[in-house]
Amino acid sequence: MKIRQAYTEDGYIIIVWQDTHLSDDKYPYVYLRDCCLCTTCFNHDSKQRMFLLNDLDVEVKANELQLEKEGECVSIEWSDGHRSTFESDWLRKRSFKSDEIHKRELLYGEEHVSWGKEFQSSIPTFNFQKVMTDDQELLDWLLSIDKFGLTVLTNVPCNDQQLPLLAGRVAYLKKNPFGETFTVISKAKPTNLAYTPVNLGFHTDQSYLGYPPEVILYSDCTSLTKKYFS
Protein backbone atom coordinates (compact mmCIF):
# COMPACT_ATOMS: atom_id res chain seq x y z
CA MET A 1 0.00 0.00 0.00
CA LYS A 2 1.50 3.31 -1.07
CA ILE A 3 0.83 6.98 -0.46
CA ARG A 4 0.04 9.22 -3.43
CA GLN A 5 0.04 12.52 -1.55
CA ALA A 6 0.46 13.89 1.99
CA TYR A 7 -0.46 17.39 3.10
CA THR A 8 -1.45 19.32 6.23
CA GLU A 9 -4.85 20.76 7.08
CA ASP A 10 -6.16 22.28 10.35
CA GLY A 11 -3.87 20.35 12.70
CA TYR A 12 -4.02 17.09 10.74
CA ILE A 13 -1.80 15.28 8.28
CA ILE A 14 -3.92 14.08 5.38
CA ILE A 15 -2.83 10.89 3.61
CA VAL A 16 -4.10 10.27 0.08
CA TRP A 17 -3.64 6.65 -1.00
CA GLN A 18 -2.59 5.50 -4.44
CA ASP A 19 -5.41 2.94 -4.25
CA THR A 20 -8.37 5.05 -5.38
CA HIS A 21 -10.79 2.66 -3.66
CA LEU A 22 -9.50 3.93 -0.30
CA SER A 23 -10.72 7.23 1.08
CA ASP A 24 -8.22 9.67 2.55
CA ASP A 25 -7.02 9.23 6.12
CA LYS A 26 -6.14 12.00 8.54
CA TYR A 27 -3.98 11.90 11.66
CA PRO A 28 -3.63 14.60 14.34
CA TYR A 29 -0.20 16.19 14.57
CA VAL A 30 0.12 15.39 18.27
CA TYR A 31 -0.81 11.74 17.70
CA LEU A 32 1.93 11.13 15.14
CA ARG A 33 4.54 13.07 17.08
CA ASP A 34 3.70 11.03 20.17
CA CYS A 35 3.96 7.79 18.15
CA CYS A 36 7.36 8.51 16.61
CA LEU A 37 9.23 5.25 15.98
CA CYS A 38 12.76 6.58 15.56
CA THR A 39 15.51 5.05 17.70
CA THR A 40 15.53 8.12 19.95
CA CYS A 41 11.82 7.85 20.74
CA PHE A 42 11.26 4.09 20.58
CA ASN A 43 13.26 1.02 21.62
CA HIS A 44 12.75 -1.55 18.87
CA ASP A 45 14.25 -4.42 20.88
CA SER A 46 11.82 -4.16 23.79
CA LYS A 47 9.01 -2.62 21.67
CA GLN A 48 8.65 0.18 24.22
CA ARG A 49 8.51 3.93 23.87
CA MET A 50 11.26 6.11 25.30
CA PHE A 51 9.71 9.45 24.36
CA LEU A 52 8.30 10.88 27.59
CA LEU A 53 4.85 12.39 27.71
CA ASN A 54 6.34 15.25 29.69
CA ASP A 55 8.45 16.13 26.63
CA LEU A 56 5.52 16.18 24.21
CA ASP A 57 4.44 19.59 22.94
CA VAL A 58 0.68 19.24 22.50
CA GLU A 59 0.75 22.26 20.19
CA VAL A 60 3.35 20.67 17.91
CA LYS A 61 2.99 21.36 14.19
CA ALA A 62 4.22 19.67 11.04
CA ASN A 63 6.56 22.03 9.17
CA GLU A 64 7.40 19.80 6.20
CA LEU A 65 6.21 16.52 4.68
CA GLN A 66 8.16 14.39 2.25
CA LEU A 67 7.24 11.10 0.59
CA GLU A 68 10.02 8.50 0.47
CA LYS A 69 10.57 5.10 -1.17
CA GLU A 70 8.04 5.88 -3.90
CA GLY A 71 5.23 6.45 -1.42
CA GLU A 72 5.99 3.65 1.01
CA CYS A 73 6.94 6.14 3.74
CA VAL A 74 6.22 9.71 4.75
CA SER A 75 8.82 11.80 6.58
CA ILE A 76 7.64 14.63 8.84
CA GLU A 77 9.69 17.53 10.17
CA TRP A 78 8.12 18.85 13.36
CA SER A 79 8.10 22.32 14.85
CA ASP A 80 10.11 21.01 17.84
CA GLY A 81 13.00 20.20 15.47
CA HIS A 82 12.43 16.45 15.45
CA ARG A 83 11.86 14.30 12.37
CA SER A 84 9.65 11.21 12.20
CA THR A 85 9.19 8.66 9.44
CA PHE A 86 6.13 6.42 9.17
CA GLU A 87 5.60 3.50 6.81
CA SER A 88 2.39 3.53 4.80
CA ASP A 89 1.28 0.13 6.17
CA TRP A 90 1.75 1.37 9.74
CA LEU A 91 -0.42 4.41 9.01
CA ARG A 92 -3.13 2.42 7.30
CA LYS A 93 -3.42 -0.04 10.19
CA ARG A 94 -3.95 2.91 12.54
CA SER A 95 -6.64 4.65 10.53
CA PHE A 96 -9.16 6.58 12.63
CA LYS A 97 -12.07 5.42 10.47
CA SER A 98 -14.66 3.45 12.45
CA ASP A 99 -14.43 0.34 10.26
CA GLU A 100 -10.64 0.20 10.67
CA ILE A 101 -10.97 0.66 14.44
CA HIS A 102 -13.39 -2.26 14.46
CA LYS A 103 -10.85 -4.42 12.61
CA ARG A 104 -8.22 -3.61 15.23
CA GLU A 105 -10.60 -4.52 18.02
CA LEU A 106 -11.06 -7.95 16.45
CA LEU A 107 -7.29 -8.47 16.47
CA TYR A 108 -7.21 -8.24 20.26
CA GLY A 109 -10.22 -10.38 21.04
CA GLU A 110 -13.46 -11.81 19.77
CA GLU A 111 -16.60 -9.75 19.61
CA HIS A 112 -18.62 -10.03 22.81
CA VAL A 113 -21.79 -12.03 22.19
CA SER A 114 -25.04 -11.32 24.05
CA TRP A 115 -27.20 -14.35 24.74
CA GLY A 116 -30.50 -15.45 26.26
CA LYS A 117 -32.04 -18.70 27.42
CA GLU A 118 -31.15 -20.39 24.11
CA PHE A 119 -27.51 -20.29 25.23
CA GLN A 120 -28.22 -22.93 27.87
CA SER A 121 -28.05 -25.68 25.25
CA SER A 122 -24.93 -24.37 23.51
CA ILE A 123 -22.56 -23.20 26.26
CA PRO A 124 -18.97 -23.68 24.98
CA THR A 125 -17.59 -26.83 26.62
CA PHE A 126 -13.97 -27.88 26.96
CA ASN A 127 -12.11 -30.84 28.39
CA PHE A 128 -10.17 -29.90 31.53
CA GLN A 129 -7.24 -32.22 30.87
CA LYS A 130 -6.84 -30.94 27.32
CA VAL A 131 -6.93 -27.32 28.49
CA MET A 132 -4.20 -28.15 31.00
CA THR A 133 -1.89 -29.78 28.44
CA ASP A 134 -2.69 -28.29 25.02
CA ASP A 135 -1.81 -24.63 24.45
CA GLN A 136 -4.20 -24.28 21.50
CA GLU A 137 -7.06 -25.66 23.59
CA LEU A 138 -6.13 -23.25 26.36
CA LEU A 139 -6.24 -20.34 23.91
CA ASP A 140 -9.60 -21.47 22.50
CA TRP A 141 -11.01 -21.69 26.02
CA LEU A 142 -9.77 -18.20 26.96
CA LEU A 143 -11.15 -16.72 23.73
CA SER A 144 -14.52 -18.33 24.46
CA ILE A 145 -14.55 -16.80 27.94
CA ASP A 146 -13.80 -13.42 26.41
CA LYS A 147 -16.47 -13.85 23.72
CA PHE A 148 -19.34 -15.40 25.69
CA GLY A 149 -18.47 -14.75 29.34
CA LEU A 150 -19.34 -18.32 30.32
CA THR A 151 -17.88 -21.76 29.56
CA VAL A 152 -18.00 -25.28 30.98
CA LEU A 153 -15.02 -27.54 31.69
CA THR A 154 -15.65 -31.28 31.86
CA ASN A 155 -13.66 -34.19 33.34
CA VAL A 156 -12.24 -32.12 36.18
CA PRO A 157 -10.78 -34.36 38.93
CA CYS A 158 -12.98 -34.10 42.00
CA ASN A 159 -10.75 -32.44 44.57
CA ASP A 160 -10.16 -28.91 45.75
CA GLN A 161 -6.67 -28.62 44.19
CA GLN A 162 -7.77 -28.42 40.56
CA LEU A 163 -8.95 -24.81 40.36
CA PRO A 164 -5.63 -23.41 41.64
CA LEU A 165 -3.84 -25.56 39.05
CA LEU A 166 -6.12 -24.24 36.30
CA ALA A 167 -5.63 -20.65 37.41
CA GLY A 168 -1.87 -21.16 37.49
CA ARG A 169 -2.02 -22.35 33.89
CA VAL A 170 -3.13 -18.83 32.95
CA ALA A 171 -1.99 -16.33 35.57
CA TYR A 172 -2.60 -16.30 39.33
CA LEU A 173 -5.47 -16.39 41.80
CA LYS A 174 -6.70 -13.08 43.12
CA LYS A 175 -7.24 -12.93 46.86
CA ASN A 176 -10.73 -11.94 48.00
CA PRO A 177 -12.52 -11.59 51.36
CA PHE A 178 -12.85 -15.39 51.53
CA GLY A 179 -9.24 -16.16 50.65
CA GLU A 180 -7.88 -17.38 47.32
CA THR A 181 -10.35 -20.28 47.16
CA PHE A 182 -13.24 -21.33 49.35
CA THR A 183 -15.65 -24.26 49.55
CA VAL A 184 -19.37 -23.56 49.31
CA ILE A 185 -21.39 -26.03 51.42
CA SER A 186 -24.82 -26.02 53.05
CA LYS A 187 -24.72 -24.77 56.61
CA ALA A 188 -27.12 -24.38 59.49
CA LYS A 189 -28.14 -20.73 59.95
CA PRO A 190 -26.34 -19.57 56.79
CA THR A 191 -25.20 -15.97 56.42
CA ASN A 192 -25.46 -16.21 52.63
CA LEU A 193 -27.80 -18.02 50.25
CA ALA A 194 -24.73 -19.66 48.72
CA TYR A 195 -24.55 -21.79 51.90
CA THR A 196 -28.01 -23.26 51.40
CA PRO A 197 -29.35 -25.97 49.05
CA VAL A 198 -31.48 -23.34 47.29
CA ASN A 199 -30.85 -23.10 43.53
CA LEU A 200 -29.08 -19.88 42.56
CA GLY A 201 -29.64 -18.15 39.25
CA PHE A 202 -26.96 -16.54 37.10
CA HIS A 203 -25.34 -13.69 38.99
CA THR A 204 -22.09 -11.74 39.28
CA ASP A 205 -20.02 -12.41 42.39
CA GLN A 206 -18.03 -9.75 44.25
CA SER A 207 -19.04 -6.88 41.97
CA TYR A 208 -18.93 -4.68 45.07
CA LEU A 209 -15.14 -4.84 45.14
CA GLY A 210 -13.16 -1.85 43.89
CA TYR A 211 -11.21 -4.28 41.68
CA PRO A 212 -13.63 -7.14 40.99
CA PRO A 213 -12.38 -10.42 39.53
CA GLU A 214 -12.68 -10.70 35.75
CA VAL A 215 -12.99 -14.50 35.71
CA ILE A 216 -14.53 -16.65 38.46
CA LEU A 217 -13.78 -20.38 38.50
CA TYR A 218 -16.43 -22.62 40.05
CA SER A 219 -16.18 -26.38 40.53
CA ASP A 220 -19.28 -28.52 41.15
CA CYS A 221 -17.98 -31.51 43.04
CA THR A 222 -20.58 -33.68 44.79
CA SER A 223 -18.01 -35.94 46.46
CA LEU A 224 -16.67 -32.93 48.34
CA THR A 225 -20.14 -32.51 49.81
CA LYS A 226 -20.02 -36.13 50.98
CA LYS A 227 -16.62 -35.44 52.53
CA TYR A 228 -18.01 -32.66 54.73
CA PHE A 229 -21.23 -34.45 55.71
CA SER A 230 -20.10 -38.11 56.05
Side-chain angles (χ1 to χ4, degrees), residues 188-206:
K189 297 182 180 180
T191 57
N192 191 300
L193 279 179
Y195 299 111
T196 72
V198 175
N199 288 332
L200 300 178
F202 284 143
H203 60 282
T204 302
D205 280 326
Q206 302 183 26

Side-chain angles (χ1 to χ4, degrees), residues 4-230:
R4 178 163 62 88
Q5 182 184 4
Y7 62 94
T8 62
E9 182 180 274
D10 299 328
Y12 292 87
I13 291 176
I14 312 299
I15 299 295
V16 182
W17 303 102
Q18 289 187 17
D19 186 343
T20 56
H21 294 94
L22 298 175
S23 57
D24 300 348
D25 277 298
K26 65 179 187 178
Y27 306 85
Y29 291 160
V30 67
Y31 170 76
L32 291 181
R33 177 63 188 93
D34 187 43
C35 291
C36 180
L37 297 174
C38 77
T39 55
T40 300
C41 297
F42 189 81
N43 186 298
H44 290 266
D45 292 323
S46 65
K47 306 300 182 186
Q48 292 177 306
R49 57 179 289 148
M50 297 187 292
F51 182 51
L52 301 179
L53 187 62
N54 189 54
D55 295 330
L56 176 64
D57 177 8
V58 296
E59 302 295 335
V60 69
K61 295 178 175 57
N63 289 341
E64 181 186 7
L65 305 181
Q66 182 177 346
L67 295 184
E68 299 178 351
K69 298 182 181 179
E70 299 180 343
E72 292 183 357
C73 301
V74 60
S75 177
I76 308 166
E77 182 183 297
W78 301 104
S79 57
D80 63 3
H82 194 72
R83 179 174 287 275
S84 304
T85 300
F86 297 96
E87 294 182 353
S88 57
D89 286 345
W90 187 96
L91 290 168
R92 182 61 187 169
K93 289 177 182 177
R94 288 157 183 81
S95 170
F96 282 81
K97 296 190 185 76
S98 58
D99 59 333
E100 294 298 326
I101 292 174
H102 180 64
K103 289 179 183 178
R104 290 198 294 275
E105 290 173 344
L106 294 180
L107 288 175
Y108 298 103
E110 299 275 353
E111 289 186 275
H112 294 169
V113 174
S114 299
W115 41 263
K117 64 180 182 180
E118 77 288 344
F119 186 61
Q120 190 169 1
S121 62
S122 60
I123 299 174
T125 302
F126 297 84
N127 183 283
F128 175 82
Q129 298 298 337
K130 196 170 182 181
V131 167
M132 291 297 293
T133 57
D134 187 322
D135 288 346
Q136 183 60 53
E137 191 76 2
L138 174 65
L139 175 61
D140 292 342
W141 174 59
L142 293 174
L143 290 175
S144 291
I145 292 176
D146 182 53
K147 183 175 182 177
F148 298 104
L150 179 67
T151 66
V152 172
L153 285 172
T154 61
N155 299 317
V156 182
C158 199
N159 63 67
D160 55 9
Q161 300 301 312
Q162 300 307 309
L163 293 187
L165 289 175
L166 177 60
R169 177 89 165 100
V170 182
Y172 60 90
L173 284 170
K174 171 181 166 53
K175 287 190 175 181
N176 61 77
F178 306 97
E180 286 188 340
T181 64
F182 60 96
T183 302
V184 178
I185 60 175
S186 294
K187 297 179 179 180
K189 297 182 180 180
T191 57
N192 191 300
L193 279 179
Y195 299 111
T196 72
V198 175
N199 288 332
L200 300 178
F202 284 143
H203 60 282
T204 302
D205 280 326
Q206 302 183 26
S207 57
Y208 51 81
L209 296 177
Y211 177 44
E214 293 185 0
V215 177
I216 295 178
L217 301 174
Y218 168 73
S219 175
D220 182 10
C221 196
T222 54
S223 69
L224 283 181
T225 302
K226 295 178 182 177
K227 168 186 172 182
Y228 284 99
F229 286 93
S230 58

